């Protein structure tokens, strides 16, 4: 059968794509089905180098073509993507992942870490009743250390006025144990927390897409249109925060400037993409901000709890 296909290809001045075997004209440079370049199966050193630098510079060109409008032309990338003009720019999800990796890497490098050596508690403290502060104060560190070393974590329940249920006992034991681990390795915990927060942000973006769908349903009832907006805005958010983190060593005012720019950018993006009047946009922006605050607060609280008990 293959011999018959090859014979027909030769007679009709056609060739076959080496990747998907689709019939091509001899003057074709790329396969119309899979996109592979039409070349001989044998690869030379020149071809290998050309492929490497070609992919590298293509990626670089898409970065510059994507980052410039992302920073200075709010809503442009979203409109272009939803209109189907996508080949010149980095796909929204890839753009977000690329920028978020840079942000969290920069944050981990710039954050001050505890360089003190690990602490090992070997000396048993003097026996005595566990000491707490006043009712309005938090537990003293020495009390938790003593409870941990003496194995009397459940006695904290009495001091807190909690009943000795199985859940409370397991919770207080786990809490004291994790607290001591944090006390020994605070820097390690902060690194772990950043990983959890970066993971939780993947749930914040779809939630923002849902709120946008609810607020702008009359503009588009297709959820993905709103999700693309969320991807682009969060990409811009992490990009601006990256600059703020890098420049914060010069002045903390860069955080204020970053926050002001993000507010303006969010408003401008909404007006550009959804094309509504200024007053309506400001009203919806306030509602979206309130909804986003609760979603973000829930995500951060979940991140802290997950990090605390899983670290």
């Amino acid at each position: 059968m293959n011999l018959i296909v090859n014979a027909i290809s030769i007679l009709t001045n056609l060739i076959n794509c080496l990747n998907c075997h689709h019939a091509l004209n001899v003057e074709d440079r790329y396969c119309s089905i899979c996109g592979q370049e039409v070349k001989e199966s044998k690869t030379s050193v020149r071809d290998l180098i050309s492929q490497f630098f070609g992919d590298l510079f293509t990626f670089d060109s898409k970065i510059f073509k994507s980052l410039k409008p992302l920073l200075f032309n709010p809503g442009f990338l979203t409109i272009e993507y939803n209109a189907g003009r996508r080949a010149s720019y980095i796909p929204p999800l890839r753009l977000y992942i690329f920028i978020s990796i840079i942000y969290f890497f920069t944050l981990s490098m710039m954050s001050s870490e505890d360089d003190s050596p690990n602490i090992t508690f070997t000396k048993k403290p003097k026996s005595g009743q566990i000491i707490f502060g006043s009712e309005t104060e938090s537990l003293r560190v020495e009390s938790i250390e003593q409870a941990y070393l003496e194995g009397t974590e459940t006695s904290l329940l009495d001091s807190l006025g909690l009943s000795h249920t199985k859940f409370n006992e397991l919770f207080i034991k786990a809490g004291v144990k994790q607290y001591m681990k944090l006390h020994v390795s605070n820097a390690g915990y902060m690194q772990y927390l950043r990983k959890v927060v970066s993971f939780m942000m993947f749930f914040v973006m779809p939630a923002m897409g849902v709120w946008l769908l609810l607020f702008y349903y009359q503009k588009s009832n297709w959820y993905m249109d709103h999700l693309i907006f969320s991807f682009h805005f969060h990409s811009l958010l992490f990009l601006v925060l990256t600059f703020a983190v890098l420049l914060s060593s010069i002045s903390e005012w860069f955080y204020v400037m970053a926050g002001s720019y993000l507010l303006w950018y969010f408003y401008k993006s909404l007006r550009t993409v959804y094309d509504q009047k200024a007053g309506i946009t400001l009203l919806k922006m306030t509602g979206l901000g309130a909804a986003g605050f609760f979603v973000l607060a829930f995500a951060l609280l979940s991140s802290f709890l997950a990090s605390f008990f899983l670290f």
Side-chain angles (χ1 to χ4, degrees):
M1 188 68 181
N2 289 334
L3 291 175
I4 297 174
V5 172
N6 291 333
I8 294 174
S9 298
I10 294 172
L11 292 174
T12 56
N13 201 29
L14 296 177
I15 59 175
N16 292 326
C17 173
L18 297 174
N19 183 56
C20 67
H21 307 292
H22 177 68
L24 305 171
N25 294 317
V26 291
E27 64 271 12
D28 289 339
R29 292 188 58 193
Y30 297 93
C31 176
S32 59
I33 300 300
C34 67
Q36 177 168 293
E37 188 176 4
V38 179
K39 279 195 172 185
E40 295 181 0
S41 59
K42 300 297 183 182
T43 302
S44 65
V45 175
R46 180 180 177 181
D47 291 334
L48 195 63
I49 296 174
S50 176
Q51 290 170 7
F52 171 77
F53 284 102
D55 292 340
L56 179 64
F57 291 129
T58 299
F59 182 67
D60 284 345
S61 66
K62 285 191 176 184
I63 288 178
F64 291 121
K65 286 182 180 180
S66 301
L67 291 185
K68 185 177 178 180
L70 180 68
L71 269 172
F72 305 112
N73 199 345
F76 174 81
L77 287 180
T78 303
I79 291 177
E80 290 291 288
Y81 187 89
N82 289 338
R85 297 183 288 271
R86 306 169 183 176
S88 300
Y89 310 105
I90 300 177
L93 180 57
R94 190 185 304 173
L95 179 66
Y96 168 78
I97 293 175
F98 174 73
I99 294 177
S100 63
I101 289 175
I102 293 177
Y103 167 71
F104 284 105
F105 175 78
T106 303
L107 189 64
S108 64
M109 292 295 101
M110 296 294 291
S111 299
S112 58
E113 297 182 355
D114 183 10
D115 295 326
S116 59
N118 289 346
I119 303 171
T120 304
F121 297 97
T122 55
K123 184 178 179 181
K124 187 175 182 179
K126 296 180 180 180
S127 60
Q129 188 175 1
I130 296 176
I131 303 171
F132 292 91
S134 64
E135 293 181 356
T136 58
E137 294 177 350
S138 60
L139 301 177
R140 294 180 60 184
V141 174
E142 306 85 46
S143 303
I144 301 176
E145 292 176 3
Q146 182 175 338
Y148 176 75
L149 292 169
E150 295 184 347
T152 58
E153 296 96 334
T154 53
S155 62
L156 295 176
L157 293 172
D158 296 329
S159 301
L160 292 171
L162 299 175
S163 59
H164 283 255
T165 64
K166 195 67 176 178
F167 175 80
N168 287 344
E169 289 180 0
L170 291 174
F171 186 84
I172 202 71
K173 283 186 177 182
V176 170
K177 181 180 179 181
Q178 291 304 111
Y179 176 86
M180 296 305 298
K181 289 171 67 176
L182 266 61
H183 191 69
V184 173
S185 181
N186 182 55
Y189 169 72
M190 293 307 297
Q191 292 178 358
Y192 186 79
L193 176 61
R194 281 191 286 268
K195 292 179 181 178
V196 176
V197 170
S198 64
F199 175 76
M200 289 300 297
M201 288 303 295
F202 274 101
F203 296 95
V204 173
M205 287 185 298
M208 181 180 179
V210 172
W211 285 110
L212 286 166
L213 175 63
L214 295 175
F215 277 81
Y216 290 101
Y217 183 83
Q218 73 280 13
K219 290 291 182 178
S220 175
N221 59 2
W222 185 248
Y223 171 71
M224 290 303 299
D225 289 344
H226 307 288
L227 183 60
I228 297 304
F229 181 100
S230 182
F231 276 130
H232 284 141
F233 178 74
H234 282 89
S235 297
L236 181 278
L237 170 67
F238 283 128
L239 185 59
V240 171
L241 289 178
T242 300
F243 290 133
V245 169
L246 290 172
L247 296 173
S248 62
S249 57
I250 301 174
S251 173
E252 294 294 328
W253 279 99
F254 282 106
Y255 283 116
V256 178
M257 295 169 62
S260 301
Y261 182 75
L262 288 171
L263 285 174
W264 170 83
Y265 190 98
F266 189 46
Y267 164 78
K268 193 66 177 177
S269 296
L270 291 174
R271 292 237 25 212
T272 301
V273 174
Y274 297 106
D275 192 25
Q276 291 188 332
K277 294 181 180 180
I280 297 177
T281 301
L282 285 172
L283 186 62
K284 290 187 175 182
M285 178 180 170
T286 304
L288 286 167
F293 173 80
F294 286 109
V295 172
L296 183 61
F298 176 78
L300 291 177
L301 178 61
S302 302
S303 299
F304 278 114
L305 290 175
S307 302
F308 184 80
F309 286 104
L310 295 177
F311 174 65

